[in-house]
Each structure stands twice: as C-alpha cells, then as structure tokens.
Amino acid sequence: MDVLFILAVAFAGGVGACVRYVAVEGWPRGTTPLAAVVGPGSAATAEAGLPRRVAPEWRLMIVNVVASLIAGFAAGLLPLPTVASMIVISGFCGGMSSWSSVMLDASNALSARKLGKTAIIVVVQMLWGVFAALIGVTVGQLLGVSLGLGALAWE
C-alpha cells in the first residue's frame, strides 16, 4: 500500500470523526430566550418552557444511519475496491460512525435495568443502519448505471 493512500484514508477518518463530534456533541442549542421569540407575557412562554434537545443516543443513531447511507451510496456508485471507495467508506464513514458508542449506550441502559431502551438502541440502530445502507447501495447503483460507471452484481 502506498503511504499517501494510508494518509488519505486517515485524513478522511479524521474528517468523519469531526463531523460526528459536531453532530453529536455540538448539536444546535436554543440560546434565544423563548420570551424574545414569542413575546413577554404570552401564554406560550409559560407553557413551552425551554426548547427540548434530542437525547445523545438518538443523535448518535442519526449520525450512524447517515454514515451507513453514505457508505452504501459509495459502495453502489464506485467500483469496488478502488482508492476512492476505500477513502469514503473506510475513512470518512468509518470515522463518522461509532458503533462502539452505541454498544456503550446499550450497556449503560442495561446496567440501569432499562431493557426496553436497550432493545430499542440495539435493534433499531442495526435495522436502520442496514436499511440505510441498502437504500444507499440502490441509489448509488442507479446513479452509477446512468453515469456509465457500471453496477455491482446482485447475483
């Protein structure tokens, strides 16, 4: 393997990890006071309270599903194995997704005896990830055929 290729995959992984960090940890927070948006003394101000945030487990799930979709799209569009497909799939999507964090969230939920939450985290994450990858592969293949790049054989 070429050193430049390894560095490109590592760089793409770093970019993917940065995207994951911003999406999970730096998720937009409502900093504008609600009274400034709705108006002081409004009934909506008292009822609505602070803006709700998406739980970290769900933000991570969204990021992992998007990474699966991108990986599937790249696998369907790009002939495998190529340098571009390895950089996108192994590098960027590998850095963006964090299945170990999913298992840690599931383990923490299991330790807290939240069996339903544990099942949802594991099962839904896996199903959505596989489903997103299949959608990505299908769309990538259709686009690849229309662009004349060829398609993967499903046989």
Side-chain angles (χ1 to χ4, degrees), residues 33-59:
L34 192 58
V37 175
V38 208
S42 170
T45 304
E47 292 175 8
L50 296 173
R52 293 185 346 183
R53 291 192 54 198
V54 177
E57 301 89 23
W58 300 111
R59 291 181 288 197

Side-chain angles (χ1 to χ4, degrees), residues 37-138:
V37 175
V38 208
S42 170
T45 304
E47 292 175 8
L50 296 173
R52 293 185 346 183
R53 291 192 54 198
V54 177
E57 301 89 23
W58 300 111
R59 291 181 288 197
L60 182 62
M61 185 179 296
I62 291 167
V63 169
N64 285 341
V65 169
V66 169
S68 296
L69 181 69
I70 294 169
F73 180 77
L77 180 65
L78 303 169
L80 297 175
T82 61
V83 172
S85 66
M86 290 183 193
I87 290 172
V88 172
I89 297 169
S90 299
F92 181 76
C93 293
M96 185 177 170
S97 64
S98 180
W99 296 98
S100 59
S101 294
V102 171
M103 293 303 119
L104 180 63
D105 289 342
S107 174
N108 290 340
L110 189 60
S111 296
R113 299 192 185 277
K114 296 180 178 179
L115 298 178
K117 184 176 183 178
T118 303
I120 288 172
I121 289 173
V122 173
V123 173
V124 171
Q125 182 79 257
M126 297 298 172
L127 289 176
W128 283 4
V130 169
F131 186 63
L134 287 174
I135 290 173
V137 166
T138 303

